[in-house]
Amino acid sequence: MRRIFISDLLKENITITGPDAHHLSRVMRSKEGDHIVVADDEGRVGEYVMTGFTEDKVELKLVAYIDENTESNVEITLAQCLPKGDKLELITQKATELGINSIVPLTSDNCVVRYDAKKAKTKRDKWQKIANEAGKQCGRSRLPEVEEIQPLKQWLKEMAAHQDDVALCMCYENEEQTGIKEFLAKCSQKRFAVVIGPEGGFSLDEAEYAKKLGIPSVSLGSRILRAETAAISAMSIIQYEKGDLGGRN
């Protein structure tokens, strides 16, 4: 069944408006009696039947609440330095499918792309829309949040203060001692944050800055990975080692 998300809490009768209403009535050509799955911001899920249509509204009535758990038992933040082109669109889609909770786009020394305030908002809105659609498609109970674009060093400084609660690491191509699996094996936290560099990797200055903050660097293996490959690989490894990838919660 088609799945949509609402910002209000689930209740017996719901009115859907905006893009979702347009998609249901005009694109999907839904009709009275069709069923749909609705999830709210608290992760509650229900099956609803469509009871009425107007020009810009779809009326829904609760059939039954659904007891499901499609969310991972770990919370993951992907901090991704801006890659070239539309690569962050792919990263956002696949990271959502892999169950991440938030994506933080970052600017760093070797980022090629630079956005002004207007362009940054447009890009963020697009990435959030991609995350929303991916979340619907893969049956998420909660949608991940794409945060505003931030400077790498600023984000690292803020996150460094939370390492007791969040297992934070930087995937660094020059790291030769500690692999990500070794890092994860020592982590007892249920929250993780991983920093991935752009195509040119991290500068030496950025790597040293992270080190001074006590943020460990980890390796993803002996081969140099593209930015999008590194992000997807890191998310997959965390979910396999600590989350639900490869099995059920």
Side-chain angles (χ1 to χ4, degrees), residues 69-74 99-101 139-143 244 249:
N69 181 18
T70 62
E71 296 303 298
S72 175
N73 55 311
V74 297
I100 58 93
N101 300 84
R140 292 283 301 265
S141 300
R142 294 175 182 265
L143 292 175
D244 63 353
N249 287 346

Side-chain angles (χ1 to χ4, degrees), residues 58-79:
V58 179
E59 302 294 337
L60 307 178
K61 183 176 178 62
L62 179 68
V63 175
Y65 289 107
I66 300 173
D67 182 16
E68 70 169 23
N69 181 18
T70 62
E71 296 303 298
S72 175
N73 55 311
V74 297
E75 180 180 324
I76 305 175
T77 293
L78 169 62

